[in-house]
Coordinates of all heavy atoms in Angstrom, one line a residue:
M23 N 28.7 5.2 -9.8 CA 28.2 4.2 -8.8 C 27.1 3.4 -9.4 O 26.2 3.9 -10.2 CB 27.6 5.0 -7.6 CG 27.6 4.1 -6.3 SD 27.0 5.2 -4.9 CE 25.2 5.0 -5.1
P24 N 27.1 2.0 -9.3 CA 26.1 1.2 -9.9 C 24.8 1.4 -9.3 O 24.7 1.7 -8.1 CB 26.6 -0.2 -9.7 CG 27.5 -0.1 -8.5 CD 28.1 1.2 -8.6
K25 N 23.8 1.3 -10.1 CA 22.4 1.4 -9.6 C 21.8 0.1 -9.3 O 22.0 -0.9 -10.0 CB 21.5 2.2 -10.6 CG 21.8 3.6 -10.7 CD 20.9 4.3 -11.8 CE 19.7 4.8 -11.2 NZ 18.8 5.6 -12.2
K26 N 21.1 0.0 -8.2 CA 20.4 -1.3 -7.8 C 19.3 -1.5 -8.7 O 19.0 -2.6 -9.1 CB 19.9 -1.2 -6.3 CG 19.5 -2.5 -5.7 CD 19.2 -2.4 -4.3 CE 18.9 -3.8 -3.7 NZ 18.5 -3.7 -2.3
R27 N 18.5 -0.4 -9.0 CA 17.4 -0.6 -9.9 C 17.5 0.5 -11.0 O 17.9 1.7 -10.7 CB 16.0 -0.4 -9.1 CG 15.7 -1.5 -8.3 CD 14.5 -1.2 -7.4 NE 14.3 -2.3 -6.5 CZ 14.9 -2.5 -5.3 NH1 15.8 -1.7 -4.9 NH2 14.6 -3.5 -4.6
K28 N 17.1 0.1 -12.2 CA 17.2 1.1 -13.3 C 16.2 2.3 -13.0 O 16.6 3.4 -13.4 CB 16.7 0.3 -14.6 CG 17.0 1.0 -15.9 CD 16.4 0.2 -17.0 CE 16.6 1.0 -18.4 NZ 16.0 0.3 -19.4
S29 N 15.1 2.1 -12.4 CA 14.2 3.1 -12.1 C 14.5 3.9 -10.8 O 13.8 4.9 -10.6 CB 12.8 2.5 -12.1 OG 12.7 1.7 -11.0
G30 N 15.4 3.4 -10.1 CA 15.7 4.0 -8.8 C 14.5 3.7 -7.8 O 14.3 4.5 -6.8
G31 N 13.7 2.7 -8.0 CA 12.6 2.4 -7.2 C 11.4 3.3 -7.4 O 10.4 3.3 -6.6
R32 N 11.4 4.0 -8.5 CA 10.3 4.9 -8.9 C 9.6 4.5 -10.1 O 10.1 3.7 -10.9 CB 10.9 6.3 -9.1 CG 11.3 7.0 -7.8 CD 12.2 8.1 -8.2 NE 12.7 8.8 -6.9 CZ 12.0 9.9 -6.5 NH1 11.0 10.4 -7.1 NH2 12.5 10.5 -5.4
S33 N 8.4 5.0 -10.3 CA 7.6 4.7 -11.5 C 7.3 6.0 -12.2 O 7.3 7.1 -11.6 CB 6.4 4.0 -11.2 OG 5.5 4.8 -10.3
G34 N 7.1 5.9 -13.5 CA 6.7 7.1 -14.2 C 7.7 7.7 -15.1 O 7.4 8.8 -15.7
G35 N 8.8 7.1 -15.3 CA 9.7 7.6 -16.3 C 10.5 8.9 -15.9 O 10.6 9.3 -14.8
K36 N 10.9 9.6 -17.0 CA 11.7 10.8 -16.8 C 10.8 12.0 -16.5 O 10.1 12.5 -17.3 CB 12.5 11.1 -18.0 CG 13.6 10.1 -18.3 CD 14.4 10.5 -19.5 CE 15.6 9.6 -19.8 NZ 16.3 9.9 -21.0
R37 N 10.7 12.3 -15.2 CA 9.8 13.4 -14.8 C 10.4 14.5 -14.0 O 9.9 15.5 -13.9 CB 8.6 12.7 -14.0 CG 7.5 13.6 -13.8 CD 6.3 13.0 -13.1 NE 5.6 12.1 -14.0 CZ 4.9 11.1 -13.6 NH1 4.8 10.8 -12.3 NH2 4.2 10.3 -14.4
G38 N 11.5 14.1 -13.4 CA 12.1 15.1 -12.4 C 11.5 15.0 -11.1 O 11.3 13.9 -10.6
R39 N 11.1 16.1 -10.5 CA 10.5 16.1 -9.2 C 9.1 15.6 -9.2 O 8.3 16.0 -10.1 CB 10.5 17.5 -8.6 CG 11.4 17.6 -7.4 CD 11.2 19.0 -6.8 NE 10.3 19.1 -5.7 CZ 10.7 18.9 -4.5 NH1 11.9 18.7 -4.2 NH2 9.8 19.0 -3.5
A40 N 8.7 14.7 -8.2 CA 7.3 14.3 -8.1 C 6.7 14.9 -6.8 O 7.5 15.2 -5.9 CB 7.3 12.7 -8.0
S41 N 5.4 15.0 -6.8 CA 4.8 15.6 -5.7 C 4.8 14.6 -4.5 O 5.1 13.4 -4.7 CB 3.3 15.9 -6.0 OG 2.6 14.7 -6.4
A42 N 4.6 15.1 -3.3 CA 4.9 14.3 -2.1 C 3.5 13.8 -1.5 O 2.5 14.4 -1.6 CB 5.6 15.1 -1.1
K43 N 3.7 12.6 -0.8 CA 2.5 12.0 -0.2 C 3.0 11.7 1.3 O 4.2 11.6 1.5 CB 2.0 10.7 -0.8 CG 1.3 10.9 -2.1 CD -0.2 11.1 -1.8 CE -0.9 11.3 -3.2 NZ -1.1 12.6 -3.6
T44 N 2.1 11.7 2.2 CA 2.5 11.3 3.6 C 2.2 9.8 3.8 O 1.2 9.3 3.5 CB 1.6 12.1 4.6 OG1 1.7 13.5 4.2 CG2 2.1 12.0 6.0
C45 N 3.2 9.2 4.4 CA 3.1 7.8 4.8 C 2.1 7.6 5.9 O 2.2 8.3 6.9 CB 4.5 7.2 5.2 SG 4.5 5.6 5.8
A46 N 1.2 6.7 5.7 CA 0.1 6.4 6.7 C 0.6 5.8 7.9 O 0.0 5.8 9.0 CB -0.9 5.6 6.0
S47 N 1.8 5.2 7.9 CA 2.3 4.5 9.0 C 3.3 5.4 9.8 O 3.1 5.5 11.1 CB 3.1 3.2 8.5 OG 3.6 2.5 9.6
C48 N 4.3 5.9 9.2 CA 5.4 6.6 10.0 C 5.2 8.2 9.9 O 5.7 8.9 10.6 CB 6.7 6.3 9.5 SG 7.1 6.7 7.8
G49 N 4.3 8.6 8.9 CA 4.1 10.0 8.8 C 5.1 10.8 8.0 O 5.1 12.0 8.0
G50 N 6.1 10.0 7.5 CA 7.1 10.7 6.7 C 6.6 11.1 5.3 O 5.6 10.7 4.9
T51 N 7.4 11.9 4.7 CA 7.1 12.4 3.4 C 7.8 11.5 2.3 O 8.9 11.2 2.5 CB 7.6 13.8 3.2 OG1 7.0 14.6 4.2 CG2 7.1 14.4 1.8
V52 N 7.0 11.0 1.4 CA 7.5 10.1 0.4 C 7.0 10.6 -1.0 O 5.8 11.1 -1.1 CB 7.1 8.6 0.7 CG1 5.6 8.4 0.8 CG2 7.7 7.7 -0.4
A53 N 7.8 10.5 -2.0 CA 7.4 10.9 -3.3 C 6.3 10.1 -3.9 O 6.3 8.9 -3.6 CB 8.6 10.9 -4.3
T54 N 5.4 10.7 -4.6 CA 4.2 9.9 -5.1 C 4.6 8.8 -6.0 O 4.0 7.7 -5.9 CB 3.3 10.9 -5.9 OG1 3.0 12.0 -5.1 CG2 2.0 10.3 -6.3
D55 N 5.6 8.9 -6.8 CA 6.0 7.9 -7.7 C 6.8 6.8 -7.0 O 7.1 5.7 -7.6 CB 6.7 8.4 -9.0 CG 8.0 9.2 -8.7 OD1 8.2 9.4 -7.4 OD2 8.7 9.5 -9.6
K56 N 7.1 7.0 -5.8 CA 7.9 6.0 -5.0 C 7.0 5.3 -4.0 O 7.3 4.2 -3.5 CB 9.1 6.7 -4.4 CG 10.2 5.7 -4.0 CD 11.5 6.4 -3.6 CE 12.6 5.4 -3.5 NZ 13.9 6.0 -3.3
A57 N 5.9 6.0 -3.6 CA 5.1 5.5 -2.5 C 4.3 4.3 -3.0 O 4.0 4.1 -4.2 CB 4.1 6.6 -2.1
K58 N 4.0 3.4 -2.0 CA 3.1 2.2 -2.3 C 1.7 2.6 -2.0 O 1.4 2.9 -0.9 CB 3.6 1.0 -1.5 CG 5.0 0.5 -1.8 CD 5.0 -0.2 -3.1 CE 6.4 -0.6 -3.5 NZ 6.5 -1.3 -4.8
K59 N 0.8 2.4 -3.0 CA -0.6 2.8 -2.8 C -1.4 1.6 -2.5 O -1.3 0.5 -3.2 CB -1.0 3.4 -4.1 CG -2.4 4.1 -4.1 CD -2.7 4.6 -5.5 CE -4.1 5.2 -5.6 NZ -4.4 5.6 -6.9
Y60 N -2.3 1.6 -1.5 CA -3.1 0.5 -1.2 C -4.6 1.0 -0.9 O -4.7 2.1 -0.4 CB -2.6 -0.2 0.1 CG -1.3 -0.8 -0.1 CD1 -0.2 -0.2 0.4 CD2 -1.1 -2.0 -0.8 CE1 1.1 -0.8 0.2 CE2 0.1 -2.6 -1.1 CZ 1.2 -1.9 -0.5 OH 2.4 -2.5 -0.7
T61 N -5.6 0.2 -1.2 CA -6.9 0.6 -0.9 C -7.3 -0.2 0.3 O -7.2 -1.4 0.3 CB -7.8 0.3 -2.1 OG1 -7.3 0.8 -3.3 CG2 -9.2 0.8 -1.9
V62 N -7.8 0.5 1.3 CA -8.2 -0.1 2.6 C -9.7 0.1 2.8 O -10.2 1.2 2.6 CB -7.4 0.5 3.8 CG1 -7.8 -0.1 5.1 CG2 -5.9 0.3 3.5
F63 N -10.4 -1.0 3.1 CA -11.8 -0.9 3.4 C -12.0 -1.0 4.9 O -11.5 -1.9 5.6 CB -12.5 -2.1 2.7 CG -12.6 -2.0 1.2 CD1 -11.6 -2.7 0.4 CD2 -13.5 -1.1 0.6 CE1 -11.6 -2.6 -0.9 CE2 -13.5 -1.0 -0.8 CZ -12.6 -1.7 -1.6
S64 N -12.8 0.0 5.4 CA -13.1 -0.1 6.8 C -14.6 0.1 7.0 O -15.3 0.7 6.2 CB -12.4 1.1 7.5 OG -12.8 2.3 7.0
S65 N -15.1 -0.5 8.1 CA -16.5 -0.5 8.4 C -16.7 0.2 9.8 O -15.9 0.1 10.6 CB -17.1 -1.9 8.4 OG -18.5 -1.8 8.8
A66 N -17.8 1.0 9.9 CA -18.0 1.7 11.1 C -18.6 0.7 12.2 O -18.5 1.0 13.4 CB -19.1 2.8 10.9
V67 N -19.0 -0.5 11.7 CA -19.6 -1.5 12.6 C -18.5 -2.4 13.0 O -17.6 -2.7 12.3 CB -20.7 -2.3 11.9 CG1 -21.4 -3.3 12.8 CG2 -21.7 -1.3 11.3
D68 N -18.6 -2.8 14.3 CA -17.6 -3.8 14.9 C -17.6 -5.1 14.0 O -18.7 -5.6 13.7 CB -17.9 -4.1 16.3 CG -16.9 -5.0 17.0 OD1 -15.7 -4.6 17.0 OD2 -17.3 -6.0 17.5
Y69 N -16.4 -5.7 13.8 CA -16.4 -6.8 12.9 C -17.2 -8.0 13.3 O -17.7 -8.8 12.5 CB -14.9 -7.2 12.6 CG -14.2 -8.0 13.7 CD1 -14.2 -9.4 13.6 CD2 -13.6 -7.4 14.7 CE1 -13.5 -10.1 14.6 CE2 -12.9 -8.1 15.7 CZ -12.9 -9.5 15.6 OH -12.2 -10.2 16.6
R70 N -17.3 -8.3 14.7 CA -18.1 -9.4 15.2 C -19.6 -9.2 15.0 O -20.3 -10.1 14.6 CB -17.8 -9.6 16.7 CG -16.5 -10.4 17.0 CD -16.1 -10.4 18.4 NE -15.6 -9.0 18.7 CZ -15.2 -8.7 19.9 NH1 -15.2 -9.5 20.9 NH2 -14.7 -7.5 20.1
L71 N -20.0 -7.9 15.2 CA -21.4 -7.6 15.0 C -21.7 -7.6 13.5 O -22.8 -8.1 13.0 CB -21.7 -6.2 15.5 CG -23.1 -5.6 15.4 CD1 -24.1 -6.4 16.2 CD2 -23.1 -4.2 15.8
A72 N -20.7 -7.1 12.7 CA -20.9 -7.1 11.2 C -21.1 -8.5 10.7 O -21.9 -8.8 9.7 CB -19.7 -6.4 10.6
K73 N -20.3 -9.5 11.2 CA -20.4 -10.9 10.8 C -21.7 -11.4 11.0 O -22.3 -12.2 10.2 CB -19.3 -11.6 11.5 CG -18.9 -13.0 10.9 CD -17.9 -13.7 11.7 CE -17.7 -15.1 11.2 NZ -16.7 -15.8 12.1
E74 N -22.3 -11.1 12.2 CA -23.6 -11.6 12.6 C -24.7 -11.0 11.7 O -25.6 -11.7 11.3 CB -23.8 -11.1 14.1 CG -24.7 -12.1 14.8 CD -24.7 -11.7 16.3 OE1 -23.7 -12.1 17.0 OE2 -25.7 -11.1 16.7
L75 N -24.6 -9.7 11.5 CA -25.6 -9.0 10.6 C -25.6 -9.6 9.2 O -26.6 -9.7 8.5 CB -25.3 -7.5 10.6 CG -25.7 -6.8 11.9 CD1 -25.1 -5.4 11.9 CD2 -27.1 -6.7 12.1
R76 N -24.3 -9.8 8.7 CA -24.1 -10.3 7.4 C -24.8 -11.7 7.2 O -25.4 -12.0 6.1 CB -22.6 -10.4 7.0 CG -22.4 -10.0 5.5 CD -20.9 -10.0 5.2 NE -20.2 -8.9 5.9 CZ -19.1 -9.2 6.7 NH1 -18.7 -10.4 6.9 NH2 -18.5 -8.1 7.3
S77 N -24.7 -12.5 8.2 CA -25.2 -13.9 8.2 C -26.8 -13.8 8.1 O -27.4 -14.7 7.6 CB -24.8 -14.7 9.4 OG -25.3 -14.1 10.6
E78 N -27.3 -12.7 8.6 CA -28.8 -12.5 8.6 C -29.2 -11.8 7.3 O -30.4 -11.5 7.1 CB -29.2 -11.7 9.8 CG -29.2 -12.5 11.1 CD -29.5 -11.7 12.3 OE1 -30.2 -10.7 12.2 OE2 -29.0 -12.1 13.4
G79 N -28.3 -11.5 6.4 CA -28.6 -11.0 5.1 C -28.6 -9.5 5.1 O -29.1 -8.9 4.1
A80 N -28.0 -8.8 6.0 CA -28.0 -7.3 6.0 C -26.8 -6.8 5.2 O -25.8 -7.5 5.1 CB -27.9 -6.8 7.5
H81 N -27.0 -5.7 4.6 CA -25.9 -5.1 3.8 C -25.2 -4.0 4.7 O -25.8 -3.1 5.2 CB -26.4 -4.5 2.5 CG -25.4 -3.7 1.8 ND1 -24.4 -4.3 1.1 CD2 -25.2 -2.4 1.6 CE1 -23.6 -3.4 0.6 NE2 -24.1 -2.2 0.9
I82 N -23.9 -4.2 4.9 CA -23.2 -3.3 5.7 C -22.3 -2.4 4.8 O -21.4 -3.0 4.1 CB -22.4 -4.0 6.8 CG1 -23.3 -4.8 7.7 CG2 -21.6 -3.0 7.7 CD1 -22.8 -6.1 8.1
P83 N -22.5 -1.1 4.7 CA -21.6 -0.3 3.9 C -20.2 -0.2 4.4 O -20.0 -0.2 5.7 CB -22.3 1.0 3.9 CG -23.1 1.1 5.1 CD -23.5 -0.3 5.4
R84 N -19.3 -0.2 3.6 CA -17.9 -0.1 4.0 C -17.2 1.1 3.3 O -17.6 1.3 2.1 CB -17.1 -1.4 3.8 CG -17.1 -1.9 2.4 CD -16.4 -3.2 2.3 NE -16.2 -3.6 0.9 CZ -15.3 -4.4 0.4 NH1 -14.6 -5.1 1.3 NH2 -15.2 -4.7 -0.8
Q85 N -16.4 1.7 4.0 CA -15.8 2.9 3.4 C -14.4 2.6 2.8 O -13.6 1.9 3.4 CB -15.6 4.0 4.5 CG -16.9 4.6 4.8 CD -16.8 5.6 5.9 OE1 -16.1 5.4 6.9 NE2 -17.6 6.7 5.8
Q86 N -14.2 3.1 1.6 CA -12.9 2.9 0.9 C -12.0 4.1 1.2 O -12.4 5.2 1.1 CB -13.2 2.8 -0.6 CG -12.1 2.4 -1.5 CD -12.4 2.4 -2.9 OE1 -13.5 1.9 -3.3 NE2 -11.5 2.8 -3.7
K87 N -10.8 3.7 1.5 CA -9.8 4.7 1.8 C -8.5 4.3 1.1 O -8.1 3.2 1.1 CB -9.6 4.8 3.3 CG -8.9 6.0 3.8 CD -8.6 6.0 5.3 CE -7.7 7.0 5.7 NZ -7.3 6.9 7.2
I88 N -7.9 5.3 0.5 CA -6.6 5.0 -0.2 C -5.4 5.5 0.7 O -5.5 6.7 1.2 CB -6.5 5.7 -1.6 CG1 -7.5 5.1 -2.5 CG2 -5.1 5.7 -2.1 CD1 -7.8 5.9 -3.8
V89 N -4.5 4.6 1.0 CA -3.4 4.9 1.9 C -2.1 4.7 1.1 O -2.0 3.9 0.2 CB -3.4 4.1 3.2 CG1 -4.5 4.5 4.1 CG2 -3.3 2.6 2.9
Y90 N -1.1 5.6 1.5 CA 0.2 5.5 0.9 C 1.2 5.1 2.0 O 1.1 5.6 3.1 CB 0.6 6.9 0.3 CG -0.2 7.3 -0.9 CD1 -1.4 8.0 -0.7 CD2 0.1 6.9 -2.2 CE1 -2.2 8.4 -1.8 CE2 -0.6 7.2 -3.3 CZ -1.8 8.0 -3.1 OH -2.6 8.3 -4.1
Y91 N 2.1 4.2 1.6 CA 3.1 3.8 2.5 C 4.5 4.1 1.9 O 4.6 4.0 0.6 CB 3.0 2.3 2.8 CG 1.9 1.9 3.7 CD1 1.0 0.9 3.3 CD2 1.8 2.4 5.0 CE1 -0.1 0.5 4.1 CE2 0.7 2.0 5.8 CZ -0.2 1.1 5.4 OH -1.2 0.7 6.2
C92 N 5.5 4.4 2.7 CA 6.8 4.5 2.2 C 7.3 3.1 2.0 O 6.7 2.1 2.5 CB 7.7 5.3 3.1 SG 8.0 4.6 4.7
V93 N 8.4 2.8 1.3 CA 8.9 1.5 1.0 C 9.2 0.7 2.2 O 8.8 -0.4 2.4 CB 10.1 1.6 0.0 CG1 10.7 0.2 -0.2 CG2 9.7 2.2 -1.3
S94 N 9.9 1.4 3.2 CA 10.3 0.7 4.4 C 9.1 0.2 5.2 O 9.1 -0.9 5.8 CB 11.3 1.5 5.2 OG 10.7 2.7 5.5
C95 N 8.0 1.1 5.3 CA 6.8 0.7 6.0 C 6.1 -0.4 5.3 O 5.5 -1.3 6.0 CB 5.9 1.9 6.3 SG 6.6 3.1 7.4
A96 N 6.0 -0.4 4.0 CA 5.3 -1.4 3.2 C 6.0 -2.8 3.4 O 5.3 -3.8 3.6 CB 5.3 -1.0 1.7
I97 N 7.3 -2.8 3.5 CA 8.0 -4.0 3.8 C 7.8 -4.5 5.2 O 7.5 -5.7 5.4 CB 9.5 -3.8 3.4 CG1 9.7 -3.7 1.9 CG2 10.4 -5.0 4.0 CD1 11.1 -3.2 1.5
H98 N 7.8 -3.6 6.1 CA 7.7 -3.9 7.6 C 6.2 -4.5 7.8 O 6.1 -5.4 8.6 CB 7.9 -2.6 8.4 CG 7.7 -2.9 9.9 ND1 8.6 -3.6 10.6 CD2 6.6 -2.5 10.7 CE1 8.1 -3.6 11.9 NE2 7.0 -3.0 11.9
K99 N 5.2 -4.0 7.1 CA 3.9 -4.4 7.3 C 3.6 -5.7 6.4 O 2.5 -6.2 6.5 CB 2.9 -3.3 6.9 CG 2.8 -2.2 7.9 CD 1.9 -1.1 7.5 CE 1.7 -0.2 8.6 NZ 0.8 -0.7 9.7
G100 N 4.6 -6.1 5.6 CA 4.3 -7.3 4.8 C 3.5 -7.1 3.6 O 3.1 -8.1 2.9
R101 N 3.3 -5.9 3.2 CA 2.6 -5.5 2.0 C 3.4 -5.8 0.7 O 2.9 -6.1 -0.4 CB 2.1 -4.1 2.0 CG 1.1 -3.8 3.1 CD -0.1 -4.6 3.0 NE -1.2 -4.0 3.8 CZ -2.2 -3.3 3.3 NH1 -2.2 -3.1 2.0 NH2 -3.1 -2.9 4.0
T102 N 4.7 -5.6 0.9 CA 5.6 -5.8 -0.2 C 6.7 -6.7 0.3 O 7.1 -6.6 1.4 CB 6.3 -4.4 -0.6 OG1 5.2 -3.5 -1.0 CG2 7.2 -4.6 -1.9
N103 N 7.2 -7.6 -0.6 CA 8.3 -8.5 -0.2 C 9.5 -8.1 -0.9 O 9.5 -7.6 -2.0 CB 7.9 -9.9 -0.5 CG 6.7 -10.4 0.3 OD1 6.6 -10.1 1.5 ND2 5.7 -11.0 -0.3
I104 N 10.6 -8.4 -0.2 CA 11.9 -8.2 -0.8 C 12.2 -9.3 -1.8 O 12.0 -10.5 -1.4 CB 13.0 -8.1 0.3 CG1 12.8 -6.9 1.2 CG2 14.4 -8.0 -0.3 CD1 13.5 -7.0 2.5
R105 N 12.5 -9.0 -3.0 CA 12.7 -10.0 -4.0 C 14.1 -10.0 -4.5 O 14.8 -8.9 -4.5 CB 11.7 -9.8 -5.1 CG 10.3 -10.1 -4.8 CD 9.4 -9.8 -6.0 NE 9.5 -8.4 -6.4 CZ 9.1 -7.9 -7.5 NH1 8.6 -8.7 -8.4 NH2 9.1 -6.6 -7.8
A106 N 14.6 -11.2 -4.8 CA 16.0 -11.3 -5.4 C 16.0 -10.6 -6.7 O 15.0 -10.4 -7.4 CB 16.4 -12.7 -5.5
K107 N 17.2 -10.2 -7.1 CA 17.5 -9.5 -8.4 C 16.9 -10.2 -9.6 O 16.2 -9.7 -10.4 CB 19.0 -9.3 -8.6 CG 19.3 -8.3 -9.7 CD 20.8 -8.1 -9.7 CE 21.2 -7.0 -10.7 NZ 22.6 -6.8 -10.8
K108 N 17.1 -11.6 -9.6 CA 16.6 -12.4 -10.7 C 15.1 -12.4 -10.7 O 14.5 -12.3 -11.8 CB 17.1 -13.8 -10.4 CG 17.3 -14.6 -11.7 CD 17.8 -16.0 -11.4 CE 17.9 -16.8 -12.7 NZ 18.3 -18.2 -12.3
E109 N 14.5 -12.4 -9.6 CA 13.0 -12.4 -9.5 C 12.4 -11.0 -9.9 O 11.4 -11.0 -10.5 CB 12.6 -12.7 -8.0 CG 11.4 -13.5 -7.9 CD 11.1 -13.8 -6.4 OE1 12.0 -14.2 -5.7 OE2 10.0 -13.6 -6.0
R110 N 13.1 -10.0 -9.5 CA 12.6 -8.6 -9.9 C 12.6 -8.4 -11.4 O 11.8 -7.7 -11.9 CB 13.5 -7.5 -9.2 CG 13.4 -7.4 -7.8 CD 13.9 -6.0 -7.3 NE 15.2 -5.7 -7.8 CZ 16.4 -5.9 -7.1 NH1 16.3 -6.6 -6.0 NH2 17.5 -5.5 -7.6
H111 N 13.6 -9.0 -12.1 CA 13.7 -8.7 -13.5 C 12.8 -9.6 -14.4 O 12.7 -9.4 -15.5 CB 15.2 -8.9 -13.9 CG 16.0 -7.7 -13.5 ND1 16.1 -6.5 -14.2 CD2 16.7 -7.5 -12.3 CE1 16.9 -5.7 -13.5 NE2 17.3 -6.3 -12.4
D112 N 12.2 -10.5 -13.7 CA 11.3 -11.4 -14.5 C 9.9 -10.7 -14.7 O 9.5 -10.0 -14.0 CB 11.0 -12.8 -13.7 CG 12.2 -13.7 -13.9 OD1 13.0 -13.5 -14.9 OD2 12.4 -14.6 -13.1
Ligands
ZN204 ZN1 6.5 5.0 6.4

């Protein structure tokens, strides 16, 4: 059967089994080398209040969180775009 991608949509080369991560959107299990990793910044302060405080020169700490999405959720959320074969190989 022909392969759509040489890597099978995975990264990391010849490894065999990869450890699993949980998708932050659907809660499904996705292999680490196949999951899409994103860094999300969140603030405990409401964004309207934060904007006001920032204009007054206050420093608002924000928390960094790493989230993993499965391929279908990353596409659904617009984090990853579907690209044509020609575009993928460039
Ligand atoms: Zn998902």
Side-chain angles (χ1 to χ4, degrees):
M23 205 174 85
K25 284 179 94 174
K26 193 173 182 181
R27 287 172 184 83
K28 194 182 173 186
S29 65
R32 289 162 177 268
S33 62
K36 291 181 175 179
R37 192 176 285 159
R39 245 183 98 92
S41 60
K43 287 272 184 265
T44 307
C45 173
S47 182
C48 68
T51 307
V52 58
T54 308
D55 60 354
K56 202 169 190 176
K58 295 284 175 184
K59 186 182 176 184
Y60 299 102
T61 309
V62 177
F63 291 98
S64 62
S65 179
V67 186
D68 183 58
Y69 76 96
R70 278 169 286 182
L71 181 66
K73 197 179 171 186
E74 212 171 280
L75 288 167
R76 217 178 293 124
S77 66
E78 286 173 29
H81 172 73
I82 301 140
R84 55 183 193 162
Q85 287 175 323
Q86 187 181 322
K87 195 183 170 191
I88 292 165
V89 293
Y90 293 91
Y91 288 123
C92 65
V93 174
S94 57
C95 287
I97 290 165
H98 179 72
K99 286 178 171 285
R101 298 299 198 100
T102 305
N103 294 317
I104 297 163
R105 292 177 296 163
K107 192 177 186 178
K108 209 178 174 185
E109 216 178 312
R110 288 202 307 270
H111 286 271
D112 281 342

